[in-house]
Amino acid sequence: MKKDLIAHTEPKSYVSELFRTLRTNIQFMNVNKRLKSILITSTLPGEGKSWVASNLAVTFAQAGKQVILIDADMRKGRQYAIFGLSPKPGLSNFLSQVEIDKNGRLSEDVRNYIQSTEVENLYVITAGNVPPNPSELLVSAQMIGLLDALKSSCDMIIIDGTPSELVTDSVILSRIADSTVIVTAHKITKKDALERVVK
């Protein structure tokens, strides 16, 4: 377990309390609609997107929710390193191999791609091998089918997406996630870049 997971290793710290406040705010914002999936994105790399995604997932798990964290950054995914997991098989392997039958069900068993963590109630689907076509995999019926299948077996899905200024992956995912959080870095993120991502 790496030092990145401050919400797990130092639950009484000020930073951990901030993550619990973020969790509460997200729940209040979505009190009228059933929030089951949250996409975490940023404008550019290095703004703390994966760190926020992992610690937010920990705080939801600490609240007794069954949480699945999906590393959808198939180019530079790092959730496997944060949690000390095997990098593959992961999301790219699942999406490139799975078929959808005529009844709309996934043919591959998604449980083979879910890894448990040291955090109770928290499971991770790593990014897997770097595919030649990440955007095409994310826009596929298989990705929508995966989220639907996971929603029936857990309370919360947190998706660690890509930086939105670089590639379109997170823009694609924002259409199928229930809510989106954009991570910014103090005195680093440019205002016009943030405005473009929000738009």
Side-chain angles (χ1 to χ4, degrees):
M1 191 70 62
K2 283 186 67 182
K3 65 184 187 311
D4 287 322
L5 290 174
I6 195 162
H8 178 65
T9 57
E10 298 175 47
K12 289 183 167 50
S13 69
Y14 174 68
V15 173
S16 297
E17 185 56 39
L18 290 176
F19 278 112
R20 286 191 287 276
T21 302
L22 176 60
R23 176 193 70 200
T24 303
N25 288 343
I26 289 169
Q27 288 172 315
F28 274 122
M29 272 177 17
N30 294 279
V31 74
N32 293 327
K33 61 177 185 176
R34 285 195 39 80
L35 176 72
K36 294 279 279 197
S37 59
I38 303 170
L39 169 68
I40 311 292
T41 185
S42 62
T43 59
L44 293 167
E47 293 174 316
K49 166 187 64 64
S50 296
W51 181 69
V52 169
S54 58
N55 281 282
L56 186 60
V58 168
T59 59
F60 271 107
Q62 288 170 339
K65 305 279 189 193
Q66 288 279 335
V67 182
I68 296 179
L69 172 60
I70 301 175
D71 194 342
D73 188 346
M74 291 184 272
R75 293 169 172 88
K76 290 187 176 176
R78 55 182 291 259
Q79 292 299 342
Y80 78 91
I82 291 173
F83 285 93
L85 302 172
S86 171
K88 54 194 177 190
L91 182 63
S92 64
N93 307 96
F94 176 78
L95 294 177
S96 59
Q97 292 164 18
V98 73
E99 299 286 328
I100 292 187
D101 67 22
K102 57 183 178 286
N103 297 320
R105 288 191 297 266
L106 303 172
S107 63
E108 282 278 328
D109 192 347
V110 71
R111 286 175 294 194
N112 297 332
Y113 300 85
I114 299 173
Q115 299 182 55
S116 58
T117 69
E118 286 180 30
V119 182
E120 190 179 356
N121 298 325
L122 178 55
Y123 303 87
V124 174
I125 298 177
T126 60
N129 296 72
V130 179
N133 57 341
S135 300
E136 286 79 6
L137 290 178
L138 292 174
V139 79
S140 67
Q142 283 86 333
M143 185 65 196
I144 296 167
L146 172 63
L147 288 183
D148 287 342
L150 293 177
K151 281 178 182 179
S152 64
S153 62
C154 72
D155 301 310
M156 180 63 67
I157 302 163
I158 295 186
I159 306 165
D160 181 9
T162 57
S164 294
E165 280 276 275
L166 290 187
V167 288
T168 60
D169 299 14
S170 284
V171 178
I172 292 165
L173 286 170
S174 69
R175 295 177 187 151
I176 57 175
D178 295 333
S179 194
T180 301
V181 173
I182 303 168
V183 175
T184 60
H186 183 59
K187 294 190 175 180
I188 294 173
T189 304
K190 300 278 191 288
K191 215 173 189 177
D192 59 335
L194 180 59
E195 285 170 357
R196 280 195 301 273
V197 171
V198 170
K199 190 175 177 185

